Structures are given as structure tokens and as C-alpha cells.
Amino acid sequence: MIDLKQYEVWFVTGSQHLYGPKTLETVAEHSRAIASALGVSKHLPVQVVFKPVLTTPDAIRELCLEANSSKNCIGLVTWMHTFSPAKMWIAGLTLLKKPILHLHTQYNQEIPWSEIDMDFMNLNQAAHGDREFGFIGSRLRLNRKVVVGHWSDETVQAEIGVWVRAASAWADWQGAKIARFGDNMRDVAVTEGDKVEAQIQLGYDVYGYGVGELVKLVNEASDAEVDQLIKTYLDEYEVVAELKPGGARNSSLRDGARIEIGLRNFLNAGNFKAFTTTFEDLHGLTQLPGLAAQRLMRDGYGFGAEGDWKTSALVRAMKVMNQGLEGGVSFMEDYTYHFSASGDKVLGSHMLEICESIAVGKPKLEIHPLSIGGKADPVRSVFDANTGPAIGASIVHMGGRFRMVANVVDVVPTDEPLPKLPVARALWLPRPNLKVATAAWIHAGGAHHTSFSYSVTAEHLQDFADIAGIEFLLIDENTKVQEFKEKLRWNDLYYHLNKGL
Ligand code: MN
């Protein structure tokens, strides 16, 4: 449901007229070759569009305005093949609203030692042309990614690809609608925040609904639609006997299916990209939407429980970054600890709503009491999560600004089977270890909810936070608590001054 090929990055080359038309033709030829190599690179999931070489302030300004108003353009990749005096870029760059990546590359790969002359040097001078461009970017305090290396190098293409994914998620957020059924879980602080500021700074809009509006669509789901969805469940899951047609609790599965149909229709009709629920406001719903949330997340919707719209939006963004990659993205919560000599671990889960995209094997469809909320027992899919490196990320509202915190973790198999735990789960070792990672997380005010992924990396999130202009705090194998605390203090100062009140 997320098509990244709808998006374009524009490949923009800077130069100047002093070189004469012949050199500029060669520059354009080289630039076109690089753009088409990036366009076919497996690392770039979007279209790469070559733009004519820019040699005047007017042309640069026009290009930036065109990028701003282009629906499909998600950002510019800029490169100064030759020298492009950077005062020419001021008018354009100060107007530019789209993300920017500065590719510091050179058309020619190796110096032709026996052939090199001044003409060659003058044509292959990104080494100083890009420094001039870099200066104006820094002088303008422009948030951008800088990627250095030969354009044919896979690692260079991969770095550009990471930024392209972050820029895609950013484009997806602009004007995105999030449906919030019910309000916040009463008294909870971290799931609150300033929704107006989120829309100003992050681009998405949170729409609140009374749960009754959802209930109306749930009740409108026909028996035939429910029958059809039950068939899908029987195909896709290992369904416990009591839930199967003819089983003692089949009506609960039918209720779950009805909720999924109603919720899906609601989100489709309103063109929503993400949603939240809260178990404290289920008036008129027979059960908390568990299975429905799990399946909608699998299909690309963002989700946050207890009214957590910030995590819901982040799950959606990470699903966009993740599109077409191996490994999934899920809503997650740090639930309980395992302190042991073999390494302190976190068991992550939620009451119900973990996304099936991170499941190992075929999930089981089960029914169990929720033991909170006073509603009927909800149906849910139960599974273990994949193992391997992963990342959990949280965006919190610090009052006046947003902060992203992320922790790199290693998901491991559970020490023993968990026959009595009726929810999907993942067990992990935080990096560098639970003691340091969790102290840092708590100092940063990171939430108990996260968006959790196996394919989105710290680099994706760093690029995304830079595009959004928000703070990014990474907790990984290099983290030390004291340094981390100092960084928190400096960042507070920086973001305070940067904003100019
Ligand atoms: Mn929760």
C-alpha cells in the first residue's frame, strides 16, 4: 500500500558559465550518467530525475521553487561537478522547503597519472567546487546529509538510499491524517503532547473521533463480509479450535472480524495513514481491537495504543522507510525484564497490538481475557518475533519541541517456551547493555512505547530527524551515561537558542 516509485529525487548539478559551452556539455553528460546510475541502483527505491545543469542564480531559484511545488519531488541531490560560486545559491536555498542531500563525488574515479593535465583538473574539480557549496549550506544552517565517495561505489549508493527512504517517510507525513479514537489514556503523560506543534513542525494532522463513529461502521459490516474475513483468518493463521466455525467462542472471532472490517472501512474512507485506540474508551465495541490493529499495521498503517498518536505516526514513518526491505516494523512496548548472568534482557510486547510483519512463522489466532478495561475477551494473533539486530525508537514532546530517542538492540530467542503468555513478543538485549541503555533512555525521557524495526537503522532515523529538524539521541554500543547526560544538557541549550524562542 506504500508505493515509493511515485516519488522522485531530483539530481541537480551546479556549475558556472566561465567554463564555456563545450565544458558545460561535458558536465551535463557526466551528470546525466550519474543520475541514471543512481536511478537503476537497487539501493534507491524512488525515481531519480536528471535536471539541467544550473549556472545562474535565477535558474537555481527557479529550480528550488519548482521542487517546492512538485508533488512527487521528495528532495534534491546536489553536486558541484565544477566550481559553482555559492552566492548564486543563496536565493534558491533559502526558499527551498524540500530535503537536501549533498553528494560529494567526482565523475572521474582514478587519476590518470600519465595523462593528467590542467584541462582534466579543471573538469574534475568537485574537490573544491563542493567545498564552496558546503560553505553556503553551513552558513545558511541548512540541515542536509553529506555523502562522500565515488558515485559507482555501492556504499555511497546505499547511503543515498537510506536518505531517500527517510525523505520518502517525510513526504508521506506531510498532510498525513491520523485517526484518534477516544482520547489519551487518563493521566498518562508521555502519550500527550502538542498536536498543533506536531502539525506545524512535522506535517501530520491528528483527527479525534468519538468511538461511536467507529462503532457505526463496525455494526454496518455485513455477515457476508464477516464470513469472507473468517475464511482469510483460517487461511492465514493457525486458529485455535474454540474460535473456529462451530467452536464455542466462534462468535468472538466474528466480533473481531467485524471490528476489523469497520476499522478498515473507516480508515479507507477518511484516507488515514495511522490510528490510535484506547482501552479506556471502547463504548459500544465488544472488545479492544487487537487482531484488527495487528493486521492493519501489517498492511502499512501506523498504530499507537492508549491514544499515543506520536508513536502511531512514527510507526507509519518507519513502515514507509522499510518499504520493500526484509524485516518488519511494529508498535512495541518495553514490558518486563529478565535480569540474569547471561545478560539482562527486555521482554517487549503489548496487551495485544504487535505487528505480524515481525513474526517468525505462522501466527496463532487465540482468545484470552484482557484482564484490564472490563470488556469481552479480545482475539489476537500470537507469535515470537524474528531474532537479530533491531532498533526501537520513540518521539516525545519536551514542551516546545520534539525529541527522538532510539536504542539499538539484539533480539534473541526466549530462554524457554512461554506457554502461558497470550501475546506476541520479542526478547532483546539492549546495546550496550540494559543497565546503560535504560539509564540513558530514562534520562532522555523516552517513552515506554516505541516503533520497533529490524530493517530501519539508526542512519535512517538520523536522516529523518535531520530532515524534520528535531533532536536525535542514539543509544548504542558506544553510549556512556555521563556523556549522554551532558549531550542532553547541551542539546537543550542548542534547541532553545536555535529556535530563538
Ligand atoms: Mn501501552
Side-chain angles (χ1 to χ4, degrees):
M1 70 172 273
I2 301 162
D3 175 21
L4 297 184
K5 282 285 175 203
Q6 67 182 300
Y7 290 137
E8 299 170 354
V9 290
W10 292 2
F11 192 80
V12 174
T13 310
S15 188
Q16 64 178 331
H17 281 297
L18 283 183
Y19 297 102
K22 201 163 165 281
T23 303
L24 286 176
E25 266 170 42
T26 311
V27 168
E29 210 177 285
H30 290 172
S31 178
R32 196 173 270 124
I34 297 176
S36 60
L38 295 180
V40 298
S41 167
K42 65 177 186 204
H43 298 288
L44 275 77
V46 304
Q47 317 274 348
V48 178
V49 177
F50 166 81
K51 288 286 169 182
V53 176
L54 299 174
T55 54
T56 67
D58 285 347
I60 292 166
R61 189 171 169 276
E62 283 307 308
L63 184 280
C64 291
L65 289 173
E66 191 192 339
N68 285 350
S69 60
S70 161
K71 225 173 138 187
N72 298 330
C73 173
I74 58 163
L76 304 186
V77 173
T78 54
W79 170 53
M80 304 303 118
H81 186 317
T82 39
F83 204 77
S84 181
K87 282 161 80 176
M88 297 198 309
W89 287 83
I90 293 173
L93 291 179
T94 48
L95 289 169
L96 185 67
K97 298 277 188 200
K98 296 287 169 95
I100 182 165
L101 180 146
H102 181 183
L103 175 60
H104 182 41
T105 192
Q106 177 173 282
Y107 181 73
N108 184 66
Q109 191 161 8
E110 294 185 346
I111 292 175
W113 304 108
S114 61
E115 301 288 323
I116 187 167
D117 56 14
M118 280 315 288
D119 284 346
F120 183 95
M121 292 246 285
N122 281 332
L123 184 62
N124 291 282
Q125 55 169 271
H128 62 283
D130 270 331
R131 280 172 165 76
E132 166 74 356
F133 183 71
F135 165 73
I136 207 64
S138 292
R139 173 70 197 265
L140 294 171
R141 311 301 196 264
L142 203 62
N143 258 340
R144 76 276 196 204
K145 184 170 191 174
V146 178
V147 175
V148 179
H150 196 255
W151 50 276
S152 65
D153 184 340
E154 283 242 4
T155 59
V156 167
Q157 296 181 4
E159 282 177 67
I160 299 169
V162 166
W163 173 84
V164 161
R165 288 178 176 281
S168 299
W170 178 251
D172 181 74
W173 259 15
Q174 305 314 301
K177 290 168 67 184
I178 299 176
R180 193 171 192 236
F181 299 107
D183 199 83
N184 198 58
M185 181 178 165
R186 289 184 270 283
D187 279 338
V188 176
V190 77
T191 48
E192 287 279 17
D194 185 336
K195 296 194 278 292
V196 175
E197 189 172 328
Q199 192 174 349
I200 294 169
Q201 205 173 338
L202 306 176
Y204 61 78
D205 193 358
V206 182
Y207 287 63
Y209 293 97
V211 74
E213 297 187 61
L214 170 59
V215 169
K216 187 170 174 286
L217 290 197
V218 169
N219 291 340
E220 280 170 14
S222 70
D223 284 343
E225 285 174 293
V226 172
D227 290 343
Q228 191 57 44
L229 190 52
I230 297 283
K231 268 191 201 145
T232 305
Y233 292 168
L234 293 170
D235 275 354
E236 292 184 6
Y237 306 100
E238 209 180 291
V239 181
V240 291
E242 58 182 344
L243 288 177
K244 284 188 176 167
R249 312 196 69 182
N250 179 245
S251 65
S252 297
L253 188 61
R254 294 186 69 83
D255 285 345
R258 208 175 286 283
I259 291 172
E260 178 180 338
I261 294 162
L263 189 48
R264 201 177 278 278
N265 286 342
F266 191 104
L267 298 174
N268 274 339
N271 199 21
F272 292 100
K273 290 176 174 171
F275 67 104
T276 72
T277 58
T278 171
F279 68 92
E280 278 186 337
D281 187 358
L282 295 176
H283 190 74
L285 285 181
T286 49
Q287 48 178 273
L288 175 63
L291 181 60
Q294 292 179 294
R295 290 172 55 80
L296 285 160
M297 254 193 284
R298 185 195 67 182
D299 293 345
Y301 287 98
F303 173 77
E306 291 104 50
D308 189 348
W309 49 275
K310 295 189 295 301
T311 305
S312 181
L314 184 56
V315 169
R316 167 67 187 194
M318 286 170 67
K319 282 192 177 282
V320 174
M321 293 180 217
N322 173 67
Q323 187 60 34
L325 299 177
E326 295 287 320
V329 177
S330 179
F331 175 71
M332 185 62 76
E333 181 168 273
D334 293 83
Y335 226 115
T336 196
Y337 292 138
H338 180 64
F339 288 112
S340 97
S342 64
D344 296 341
K345 296 169 188 156
V346 181
L347 184 65
S349 186
H350 203 256
M351 290 193 296
L352 302 170
E353 310 93 338
I354 300 301
C355 177
E356 295 168 1
S357 66
I358 67 168
V360 58
K362 195 174 185 176
K364 267 189 177 166
L365 210 59
E366 300 180 11
I367 180 162
H368 301 276
L370 192 60
S371 68
I372 189 167
K375 282 281 172 176
D377 299 350
V379 290
R380 75 284 300 277
S381 73
V382 179
F383 52 85
D384 286 318
N386 283 309
T387 54
I391 197 162
S394 160
I395 292 184
V396 291
H397 186 238
M398 296 304 290
R401 68 187 181 87
F402 293 94
R403 162 182 284 170
M404 187 191 287
V405 196
N407 184 200
V408 181
V409 306
D410 293 287
V411 184
V412 293
T414 56
D415 295 16
E416 294 178 33
L418 305 163
K420 291 189 172 175
L421 190 69
V423 282
R425 59 273 176 150
L427 182 75
W428 64 80
L429 292 147
R431 294 187 198 175
N433 53 56
L434 190 145
K435 198 176 175 61
V436 171
T438 310
W441 189 276
I442 285 171
H443 279 299
H448 51 284
H449 288 162
T450 57
S451 174
F452 191 84
S453 176
Y454 293 78
S455 46
V456 172
T457 62
E459 190 183 351
H460 289 101
L461 296 176
Q462 173 78 70
D463 288 354
F464 186 73
D466 282 346
I467 291 169
I470 64 172
E471 182 183 15
F472 179 67
L473 295 161
L474 179 64
I475 302 166
D476 65 4
E477 52 277 16
N478 302 315
T479 298
K480 293 188 174 71
V481 174
Q482 194 52 39
E483 285 174 11
F484 192 83
K485 282 174 73 176
E486 285 163 13
K487 193 190 244 177
L488 289 172
R489 292 191 188 113
W490 298 334
N491 282 2
D492 260 338
L493 193 62
Y494 166 76
Y495 282 98
H496 186 65
L497 293 173
N498 183 42
K499 206 170 171 188
L501 298 173

